[in-house]
Amino acid sequence: MFVLNAIIVDDEEFARSSLYFLLQEYCDHVHICGIAKSVSEARALLALHDINLIFLDIAMPIENGFELIPDLKDLNVQVIFTTAYDEYALKAIKANAADYLLKPIDIDELKAAVDKAFRYISLDKNSAADLTKTEKMSISFAEKAEVKKLTLPSAHGSILVDIDEITHITADSNYSIFHLSKGEKITVSRVLKDYEEILPSHQFTRIHKSSIINLNYLKEYNSKNGLEVVLFNGDRIAVSRRRSSDFMEKVKIYTQVKSDK
């Protein structure tokens, strides 16, 4: 097992030292190459060391943690966000973080996050570019931790929804309408693209500019009236011509991976 070269980036001394202790005690395949109190110090460490993993705080003065992300574009680096504020979760997901840990950090969650980052980095070291699309999707099914629930804003607060209960999502101007397995509908004031980026791509696919479906509820698809899908609840949804080839490929991968599990 190779060792992950890591840095800790946090402006709070206690947070830095406690995370360092946890990593030393419970993650023996992580080597801390340096500790930074700011994004600018993190950049300096990245220039000095071959870093695989960054534990990155978000709410820091001058520059927040997200401002380091563009500097990582050409590096084989995984990021685990560490923060006391759960409202950053959506943005962390969009930044393709390996994981997102809330302070105080739970030991089991930390170990799971490090193991996940290790798998992603191992995949790259073993020529991930040579994997077929199906193999990559298989890895996603077997190993990649995905969003399991969504917090949807409502008029009186928020509604927590298990993603497996979502049959499909439709767009209505700048609103998204969630259709649930028991027939309930929830309308939220966010565009469909936001949820396309958040939801696990192996399970949810956009088939039209105004529709995302959960492949777990796909019963059949046909071209009687132009390509359309039929869900188990009987709903029929059109597949746009522009997205038809991507949809067919996604279904092929989905069914193959499911049959291999």
Side-chain angles (χ1 to χ4, degrees):
M1 177 182 289
F2 69 88
V3 174
L4 297 177
N5 290 326
I7 60 173
I8 296 170
V9 186
D10 200 306
D11 65 313
E12 297 179 357
E13 182 178 356
F14 177 76
R16 295 192 300 268
S17 59
S18 60
L19 178 56
Y20 179 83
F21 171 79
L22 290 176
L23 290 167
Q24 293 290 99
E25 190 73 14
Y26 299 102
C27 302
D28 55 7
H29 54 299
V30 175
H31 171 65
I32 304 300
C33 296
I35 298 177
K37 298 189 291 289
S38 66
V39 168
S40 61
E41 288 187 11
R43 292 191 182 102
L45 288 174
L46 288 170
L48 289 174
H49 303 282
D50 183 15
I51 300 300
N52 308 115
L53 179 60
I54 301 174
F55 295 91
L56 183 58
D57 186 26
I58 297 175
M60 293 184 286
I62 305 177
E63 293 180 283
N64 67 44
F66 291 115
E67 293 179 77
L68 183 63
I69 300 302
D71 296 88
L72 311 179
K73 183 175 62 173
D74 298 322
L75 302 177
N76 179 22
V77 176
Q78 291 295 321
V79 174
I80 296 175
F81 283 108
T82 58
T83 180
Y85 306 100
D86 59 4
E87 64 263 31
Y88 291 117
L90 174 61
K91 194 170 182 180
I93 292 166
K94 288 186 175 182
N96 293 318
D99 216 327
Y100 176 93
L101 301 176
L102 283 175
K103 301 173 183 175
I105 293 174
D106 177 83
I107 294 170
D108 291 332
E109 290 181 359
L110 174 63
K111 291 164 67 176
V114 169
D115 287 344
K116 188 195 310 181
F118 183 86
R119 289 195 297 269
Y120 293 165
I121 294 165
S122 298
L123 181 61
D124 283 336
K125 283 183 172 292
N126 289 292
S127 303
D130 294 334
L131 293 175
T132 66
K133 187 179 287 187
T134 300
E135 288 171 327
K136 289 179 181 178
M137 188 65 78
S138 298
I139 291 167
S140 179
F141 262 86
E143 299 181 341
K144 188 177 180 183
E146 302 280 10
V147 176
K148 297 299 182 186
K149 294 181 182 291
L150 288 181
T151 302
L152 304 180
S154 68
H156 304 291
S158 298
I159 301 171
L160 194 64
V161 175
D162 190 318
I163 65 167
D164 289 332
E165 295 177 3
I166 302 167
T167 61
H168 62 292
I169 314 167
T170 54
D172 183 0
S173 186
N174 290 326
Y175 293 84
S176 295
I177 304 170
F178 284 76
H179 301 254
L180 306 184
S181 57
K182 295 182 180 179
E184 184 182 359
K185 295 181 183 180
I186 302 172
T187 301
V188 298
S189 57
R190 296 190 74 106
V191 295
L192 202 61
K193 184 172 176 58
D194 286 348
Y195 294 105
E196 181 183 12
E197 293 175 353
I198 297 169
L199 289 165
S201 58
H202 65 257
Q203 182 177 348
F204 291 83
T205 184
R206 192 160 184 174
I207 61 172
H208 193 278
K209 66 179 182 180
S210 60
S211 305
I212 293 173
I213 67 166
N214 183 343
L215 290 170
N216 288 344
Y217 290 92
L218 178 63
K219 180 180 181 181
E220 63 177 271
Y221 54 92
N222 59 66
S223 55
K224 294 177 182 176
N225 302 303
L227 186 59
E228 68 173 9
V229 300
V230 181
L231 304 182
F232 278 105
N233 63 4
D235 286 345
R236 295 176 177 269
I237 307 170
V239 180
S240 69
R241 183 175 298 178
R242 184 170 71 87
R243 297 178 184 272
S244 60
S245 59
D246 182 64
F247 165 71
M248 298 296 284
E249 181 67 20
K250 182 69 73 70
V251 171
K252 178 181 177 182
I253 294 169
Y254 174 82
T255 53
Q256 183 170 346
V257 172
K258 278 290 194 180
S259 64
D260 290 343
K261 289 187 72 177

